[in-house]
Amino acid sequence: MLSVALRTLRARWVTFTGSFVALSLGVALLTVMGLALASSATAPDRAPERFATAPVVVMGQDTLRVPTPTGDRAARLTHPRPVPTTTVTRLKELGPVVEDRSFTVRAEGGPADLVGHPWSTAAFAPYQLATGRAPRTDGEVAVTGDWTRPGRLIDTDRGPVRVVGTLTSRGFENAVFFTDAHAARIQPVSTQVAVDGEPSAVREAVGDSAQVLTGGTRRLADADPDRDSEALTAMNALFGTAGGVTAFVSVFVVASTFAFAVAQRRREFALLRTSGASPGQIRRTVLAEALAVGALASATGCVLGSHGAPALASWVVGEGLAPAWFAIGDHTWPYHTAFFTGLLVALCGATAASWRAGRTGPAEALREASADSRTVTPGRLLCGTALLLTAAVTLALALTGDPGDLLHRKSYVIRPMLLITAAALLSPLVLRPLVRLLARLPGVCALLVRENTATSVRRTAALAAPVLVTVALAGSLLGATATLNRAKSAEADERTSTAAFVVTPAAGSGFDDATLRRLRAVPGAEVSPSSSTAVHVLEDGVALVRSEARAASPGPLAATTRLPLAAGEPSGLDDDSIIVNEEWQRHRVGERVRVWLGDGTPRVLRIAAVMTTGTGDNGVYVTPRNAPGATVDRVDVALARGTDPKAVATALRTAVGAGNGQVLTRDQWIRATHPETNRTTRLGLLLVLGIALLYTGISVANTMVMGTSDRVRDLAVLRLAGATRWQVLRMTGAEALTVVTAGALLGLLVAAANLATLGSALALQSAPVTVAFPWRALGTTTAACGLLAVISAAIPAALALRRRPAELAGVRE
């Protein structure tokens, strides 16, 4: 049987080309993803940057630790604590101490991410003067980079300054160095200090009041020390999802290809049965073919992946998705995993087809018609029904148990796969009536299209299924992100419905007390300043849960904000209470909860009101007293009755001052803060959809080429009956478009069902339900599939029709 399988591969190479290409690409992608995941499994710690030469760095506590029966639970503090003054005093007895102060700076013509420091800290990087000198008096600064030159007077939000020197850039920040005294007035609080002393003596002096950093741990004093690990975690999620979709779609395409190939070879297998071949020998033949194709395709895919992985690494680094140091290592397990996965995919895809081939009876050799007598096989019906029931049951459990889980990215990316697979398996049940409906037009061509597509159900299903999968994926994934973004925007719109203006500071800063006093003094304006903060709560005695929060005074908050309350009133908020949402484990008005504030301070607060859960953005509200260290980063403004909005807007802009912030109308603020899918997630979804579309193209082209090559005699009979070559080609293209349209419609229905479940979850969370269909993406995907199907059908038909009709039909003249 092995020799028969090899001869079959050589004779029917067109039939197996699609499977070979799909498997090769699948294994290549799995190899690339595996190499990327292996190379990013452990991120090397960055070397210290700002304090590379500092002997010892003492940093205020930035981690909350809560003891539980199963061990301590830790979380990063939103507002790290400063180094206590008494601790700094003791450290000065050990040696020179340099207090570090960091603050944002906005300078005319300068980079947007400028950060200010005292000059004494420049030596720890170390920075070196490229031109000019160090600052000596207030109003003098030295800057990194070449965006300015010594002698220039620059306007900044910290007042006008004169550049007296420039420093060679170190690559990790754009810095402005003030004198130590000037920096201390701008930022009185110091969260870290550099000490020239013995580490043991420093630890003894500090005790538990702060952290002592030496050696490599000094990197923790740099800005965002975890950025590398966070970027790699996001990248791993992206590659993991793409690898899963690759395996899912490749199995589907290969299984569909083998099933269609077996259906086309019924008479061939029947002749083998007539000549004495047993069902087991037929099955082994099909599996041997799959083994040969799988082994060759997997090996090819590994070679392609070894060249594609470095290109991917360069791309993610260039796009800013990975750190600059990221590169592909010399791991070998991704090659083994990808190769044997490809081989397993080929064998799994051929298993069902081999059982069908083994059931072929000798009488099938006498069949002349190519019509399909069975709409769907029992195995396919069983698998499709089981997956459909699984999808329905798991969805029902999620909606009744935790509907909020359906709003998470992992859920709305993975859950639709069950329903999509079930729909693809069961699609032959509805394809026949659907294509008859789509082709219900007058004329002979429409009649032939209708009957050909409805009669050859296997060919129709093999073409429609990948289109269904791709359209359903595009609609489900892109529609889910658009729906959630719209719901979040609608929530923000509802919360700010009573505000006329929203005043925001310049990027990276907050409003000072003087600015707030000027804003409060604007006639006819009800001003509600608020700050971003967070609180932590221990649930079930073991889980330390962080909740984003805003700090605001209750009176102004009630006047400018309409909270989505399920119980209580915002006026009940005071310094001893908190407003929570229904997602909290304890969320009854009047209950007392133990929380830890943004700086780690423990408090026991009474629940004054409870908000609905919504999309997850309905966080927590506390008073400013319970947000130590938080700066005002937003001011909502409501108007008194009869107040002129233009006059108030002018007064607000005057109060803020030029360059220190902007005054937006409520509608402008809603548009400016409209939620957008983050860049990593968006690229991940596009990668997933690109893989699906690529496989769809392979499957469509392979199915059309295989189907058209087996219909040569049918096309010749049409030519002998009087049809012109153009009429035959037009009929072939119309058949392809009809089937693609049917697959797209089924995919749209599946996407609608997936988005309906998302809408149900939003409704159960009391969030705005605004289901969004990505019509442009769906139209583009369908058009691409249709164009490819028409080309793949027309080219083989045109080549076949170049021969004489009588010769094609096997008729002797």
Side-chain angles (χ1 to χ4, degrees):
M1 281 299 163
L2 180 61
S3 61
V4 173
L6 293 177
R7 289 190 178 95
T8 302
L9 289 176
R10 185 174 58 185
R12 288 184 170 268
W13 64 270
V14 174
T15 300
F16 296 99
T17 298
S19 298
F20 176 84
V21 174
L23 265 180
S24 297
L25 289 175
V27 172
L29 287 170
L30 289 175
T31 303
V32 169
M33 303 306 170
L35 289 171
L37 290 172
S39 302
S40 62
T42 55
D45 291 336
R46 277 183 179 265
E49 295 173 331
R50 285 199 57 226
F51 295 93
T53 63
V56 182
V57 177
V58 177
M59 187 172 69
Q61 295 290 355
D62 66 346
T63 303
L64 170 66
R65 299 189 183 277
V66 179
T68 71
T70 58
D72 288 353
R73 294 292 181 266
R76 182 63 59 89
L77 292 174
T78 307
H79 311 297
R81 299 173 183 174
V83 180
T85 305
T86 54
T87 301
V88 176
T89 301
R90 289 196 299 269
L91 291 173
K92 289 181 179 179
E93 298 175 357
L94 303 178
V97 173
V98 176
E99 298 186 52
D100 178 46
R101 309 172 193 277
S102 298
F103 46 89
T104 60
V105 178
R106 296 183 301 278
E108 183 181 1
D113 57 349
L114 280 175
V115 59
H117 301 300
W119 171 251
S120 297
T121 63
F124 296 131
Y127 281 107
Q128 295 179 345
L129 281 168
T131 59
R133 59 176 176 82
R136 297 171 185 165
T137 62
D138 289 355
E140 293 184 345
V141 297
V143 303
T144 61
D146 56 1
W147 60 273
T148 186
R149 63 179 184 276
R152 287 191 59 186
L153 186 65
I154 300 176
D155 289 329
T156 74
D157 60 326
R158 308 298 181 179
V161 296
R162 184 172 298 279
V163 179
V164 296
T166 61
L167 307 170
T168 303
S169 177
R170 301 285 296 175
F172 57 84
E173 67 175 354
N174 291 306
V176 179
F177 289 93
F178 296 75
T179 62
D180 290 11
H182 194 177
R185 285 194 296 274
I186 295 174
Q187 178 59 275
V189 177
S190 175
T191 58
Q192 51 203 26
V193 299
V195 184
D196 188 2
E198 288 294 327
S200 59
V202 172
R203 289 191 179 92
E204 184 177 354
V206 169
D208 296 332
S209 64
Q211 304 176 75
V212 178
L213 308 178
T214 60
T217 61
R218 290 170 299 172
R219 69 180 182 83
L220 299 177
D222 294 330
D224 196 10
D226 297 327
R227 60 187 182 275
D228 286 0
S229 59
E230 291 171 356
L232 292 179
T233 299
M235 190 173 64
N236 286 344
L238 185 156
F239 292 151
T241 302
V245 172
T246 298
F248 164 74
V249 180
S250 61
V251 168
F252 190 85
V253 169
V254 172
S256 176
T257 301
F258 271 100
F260 185 47
V262 167
Q264 284 187 309
R265 296 163 61 190
R266 282 175 298 183
R267 294 188 64 195
E268 177 183 322
F269 291 134
L271 288 173
L272 289 174
R273 290 296 312 280
T274 303
S275 62
S278 67
Q281 288 176 317
I282 298 295
R283 294 189 187 102
R284 287 194 293 273
T285 299
V286 175
L287 290 175
E289 294 169 357
L291 182 63
V293 172
L296 185 58
S298 296
T300 304
C302 288
V303 174
L304 293 175
S306 66
H307 292 85
L312 178 67
S314 300
W315 179 75
V316 294
V317 170
E319 291 292 324
L321 300 178
W325 51 261
F326 178 70
I328 300 299
D330 54 354
H331 307 278
T332 58
W333 67 261
Y335 293 103
H336 300 151
T337 303
F339 179 86
F340 289 107
T341 299
L343 204 57
L344 183 63
V345 165
L347 293 176
C348 289
T351 298
S354 69
W355 280 98
R356 185 183 305 162
R359 290 195 302 269
T360 304
E364 293 286 331
L366 302 177
R367 293 187 58 174
E368 291 292 339
S370 60
D372 297 321
S373 59
R374 180 179 292 174
T375 304
V376 61
T377 61
R380 184 168 184 164
L381 181 61
L382 178 63
C383 291
T385 303
L387 286 175
L388 185 61
L389 291 175
T390 302
V393 170
T394 56
L395 176 62
L397 292 175
L399 289 175
T400 56
D402 184 15
D405 181 64
L406 296 175
L407 307 183
H408 298 157
R409 184 173 61 87
K410 287 184 179 179
S411 292
Y412 66 71
V413 169
I414 296 174
R415 280 185 180 273
M417 302 297 181
L418 282 175
L419 186 58
I420 291 172
T421 308
L425 290 174
L426 299 177
S427 61
L429 294 174
V430 296
L431 275 175
R432 180 174 288 173
L434 182 58
V435 294
R436 286 186 183 276
L437 179 64
L438 291 175
R440 190 164 294 280
L441 295 173
V444 176
C445 183
L447 174 64
L448 290 174
V449 169
R450 183 166 63 246
E451 296 304 320
N452 284 337
T453 52
T455 302
S456 303
V457 178
R458 286 195 177 96
R459 184 178 71 238
T460 302
L463 176 59
V467 177
L468 184 157
V469 170
T470 304
V471 171
L473 274 177
S476 300
L477 301 186
L478 298 181
T481 56
T483 296
L484 289 175
N485 288 340
R486 282 192 182 181
K488 291 178 180 180
S489 182
E491 280 184 336
D493 185 41
E494 184 177 348
R495 281 197 299 267
T496 58
S497 59
T498 57
F501 299 99
V502 177
V503 186
T504 58
S509 64
F511 290 122
D512 55 24
D513 293 338
T515 303
L516 293 176
R517 285 194 297 271
R518 292 194 298 270
L519 289 171
R520 290 190 178 99
V522 173
E526 179 69 33
V527 174
S528 176
S530 61
S531 311
S532 295
T533 184
V535 297
H536 295 82
V537 63
L538 194 65
E539 294 188 352
D540 296 322
V542 294
L544 188 62
V545 179
R546 172 191 170 101
S547 293
E548 300 298 325
R550 292 204 71 81
S553 300
L557 175 65
T560 60
T561 305
R562 180 178 296 171
L563 299 180
L565 294 177
E569 295 293 336
S571 57
L573 179 66
D574 55 31
D575 291 341
D576 294 319
S577 64
I578 184 173
I579 297 177
V580 302
N581 59 58
E582 291 177 325
E583 197 171 16
W584 277 46
Q585 188 177 51
R586 303 177 66 181
H587 57 267
R588 286 190 301 178
V589 173
E591 280 190 295
R592 303 192 74 84
V593 292
R594 180 176 176 83
V595 301
W596 287 262
L597 304 180
D599 67 341
T601 303
R603 291 292 309 274
V604 177
L605 301 176
R606 175 182 52 84
I607 297 177
V610 179
M611 295 182 290
T612 58
T613 303
T615 61
D617 284 350
N618 296 335
V620 170
Y621 281 86
V622 295
T623 59
R625 181 182 174 185
N626 289 322
T631 58
V632 174
D633 58 6
R634 175 177 149 192
V635 178
D636 290 29
V637 181
L639 301 180
R641 182 172 297 178
T643 303
D644 182 12
K646 293 183 179 180
V648 172
T650 301
L652 291 173
R653 293 187 182 95
T654 303
V656 172
N660 294 328
Q662 55 182 343
V663 178
L664 303 174
T665 65
R666 187 182 70 89
D667 292 339
Q668 289 174 334
W669 183 79
I670 292 294
R671 288 194 297 270
T673 59
H674 180 75
E676 297 290 344
T677 306
N678 70 65
R679 190 161 173 267
T680 301
T681 300
R682 185 173 64 253
L683 289 175
L685 293 179
L686 292 177
L687 179 61
V688 167
L689 294 177
I691 292 171
L693 187 59
L694 177 63
Y695 275 113
T696 296
I698 295 171
S699 181
V700 167
N702 191 48
T703 300
M704 294 308 301
V705 171
M706 291 166 58
T708 305
S709 61
D710 272 8
R711 297 177 62 198
V712 171
R713 292 188 64 187
D714 296 339
L715 301 180
V717 169
L718 287 175
R719 290 282 285 119
L720 290 173
T724 65
R725 182 179 299 176
W726 166 244
Q727 287 174 323
V728 173
L729 292 177
R730 187 174 60 182
M731 182 203 69
T732 306
E735 287 180 9
L737 284 179
T738 300
V739 178
V740 168
T741 303
L745 288 176
L746 293 177
L748 183 62
L749 289 176
V750 174
N754 284 321
L755 294 181
T757 62
L758 189 64
S760 301
L762 288 171
L764 292 172
Q765 296 286 96
S766 300
V769 181
T770 53
V771 176
F773 279 92
W775 294 112
R776 179 178 299 179
L778 293 175
T780 302
T781 301
T782 304
C785 293
L787 179 63
L788 185 60
V790 170
I791 294 175
S792 301
I795 291 179
L799 293 176
L801 291 174
R802 294 173 61 183
R803 298 167 60 187
R804 298 174 59 189
E807 181 182 353
L808 292 173
V811 178
R812 292 185 177 181
E813 297 184 358

